[in-house]
Amino acid sequence: MKPLLLITGASRGIGAATATLAARQGWAVALNYARDDAAARALVEHLRGGGGEAEAYRADVSDDAQVRAMFAAIDAHFGAGRLRGLVNNAGVVDVAARVDAMPVERVQRMFAINVFGSFWCAREALLRMSRVHGGTGGAIVNVSSAATRIGSPGQYVDYASAKGAIDTFTLGLAREVATEGVRVNAVRPGIIDTEIHASGGQPDRAARAAPQLPMQRAGSADEVAQSIVWLLSDAASYVTGALLDVSGGR
Ligand code: NAP
C-alpha cells in the first residue's frame, strides 16, 4: 500500500507541483485547498489518470475545526494509520504595504493562515505519525520563505515575520519529536514563478525581480517540489531541523 501524504494549498503552484511529483514517486496524496474546487478536482483526475491515488479536501487551514474534520475525512477515505507525510504549504501574501499602514485584520489573517494553520495540521499529523501516539513515523516539511532572511521591507513584513515563525516552529518541533520517528524540515523558496504574486497585486513580480537574482531567473514550482519530496523521502533519513534555501542564491 502506498504511503499517504497530505499537502496543504495544493490546488496550484508549489503545492500542486509537489503533489504531481510525489504521486509519481509512489505517494498516495491528499490535496488540501481553500476555494478553487475546479482546480483541485482537475488535479485529482490528472493524478488518477496517471495511476495515482488521490483525493481533494476543501478546508481553511487557519480554522482548527475544519482541519480536524479534514483529517477525519482523510482517515475515513484512505484508512486510519496510513499518513506518513505532511507538507504545510498553504500560504498567502497581501498587497505591498508598510507596517504603519497595515490593518489589524490583515496581520491576523497573515499569521492565522501561514502560522496557525501549520500548527493545527502538524498536531493532527503527529497524532497519527508519532510513535508516542502509536504511529510508525513520518516526515513534515514546512514551506517557509527566503523572506525570513530579508524581512520584505515596504512589501510585506507581516508575511516575512509569519514565515520567520515557521522557521522557529521547524527547529523546535524537529527536536521535540526527533526520537519519535518523525523528521521536521523546512524549505525556504526564493522568488518562484506562481500565481501568489498576482494575489499580492504584483503579477509580474517574478519577471521583474529576475535580473536582480544571482541566477538571473525566478525558480519554478517544480524546482521547489523536488526539494520537498526529497526531504520527505528516506534519502533524507538523517535530515531534521534543516532550513533548506531553494532560492537560486538569493
Ligand atoms: P499560490 O500559487 O498562491 O497557491 C496557494 C495555495 O494555497 C492555493 O492552493 C490556495 O488554495 C491555498 N490556500 C490559500 N489559503 C488557504 C487556506 N486558508 N487554507 C488552505 N489552503 C489555502 O502559492 P505558491 O506560490 O504556490 O506558494 C506556496 C507556498 O510557498 C506558500 O506558503 C508561500 O508563502 C510559499 N512561498 C512562495 C514563494 C513564491 O515566490 N511563489 C516564495 C517563498 C515562499 P485556493 O487556490 O483554493 O485558494
Side-chain angles (χ1 to χ4, degrees):
M1 201 186 297
K2 292 177 179 177
L4 175 63
L5 172 65
L6 168 62
I7 305 164
T8 67
S11 59
R12 62 173 197 245
I14 293 168
T18 303
T20 304
L21 184 63
R24 224 185 290 144
Q25 298 196 2
W27 291 88
V29 286
L31 313 177
N32 157 262
Y33 65 102
R35 284 174 304 266
D36 195 343
D37 297 312
R41 219 49 256 161
L43 182 54
V44 165
E45 294 312 322
H46 173 72
L47 297 179
R48 287 181 181 167
E53 202 181 335
E55 187 52 276
Y57 298 89
R58 181 174 181 154
D60 177 349
V61 294
S62 70
D63 182 332
D64 181 44
Q66 291 187 39
V67 168
R68 288 174 192 266
M70 172 174 70
F71 273 83
I74 290 171
D75 288 344
H77 179 82
F78 287 96
R82 224 178 131 185
L83 192 72
R84 295 287 179 278
L86 166 68
V87 182
N88 274 319
N89 168 77
V92 293
V93 296
D94 209 321
V95 295
R98 286 169 50 97
V99 169
D100 49 17
M102 284 180 188
V104 167
E105 298 72 25
R106 165 186 167 138
V107 181
Q108 285 174 334
R109 170 176 173 265
M110 203 53 59
F111 278 76
I113 296 174
N114 293 331
V115 183
F116 299 161
S118 298
F119 267 76
W120 312 152
C121 290
R123 180 201 62 220
E124 292 304 309
L126 287 171
L127 289 172
R128 290 159 176 80
M129 300 192 309
S130 166
R131 286 193 203 122
V132 162
H133 298 292
T136 56
I140 296 174
V141 177
N142 297 319
V143 181
S144 174
S145 172
T148 63
R149 293 185 277 102
I150 296 159
S152 305
Q155 298 236 332
Y156 25 65
V157 171
D158 53 346
Y159 169 80
S161 305
K163 292 298 190 180
I166 289 298
D167 284 0
T168 307
F169 176 54
T170 302
L171 297 175
L173 185 60
R175 289 163 185 164
E176 190 165 291
V177 300
T179 59
E180 300 172 20
V182 180
R183 294 180 300 102
V184 185
N185 293 289
V187 295
R188 300 197 294 195
I191 295 185
I192 309 302
D193 194 8
T194 72
E195 291 172 45
I196 200 169
H197 308 297
S199 71
Q202 304 182 62
D204 60 344
R205 181 164 181 257
R208 260 192 301 118
Q212 276 85 53
L213 300 175
M215 293 176 82
Q216 301 203 343
R217 67 171 179 87
S220 71
D222 186 60
E223 288 176 306
V224 182
Q226 293 284 351
S227 64
I228 293 172
V229 173
W230 174 72
L231 283 167
L232 290 168
S233 78
D234 288 343
S237 57
Y238 199 54
V239 183
T240 199
L243 309 176
L244 177 58
D245 290 329
V246 187
S247 58
R250 183 171 187 243

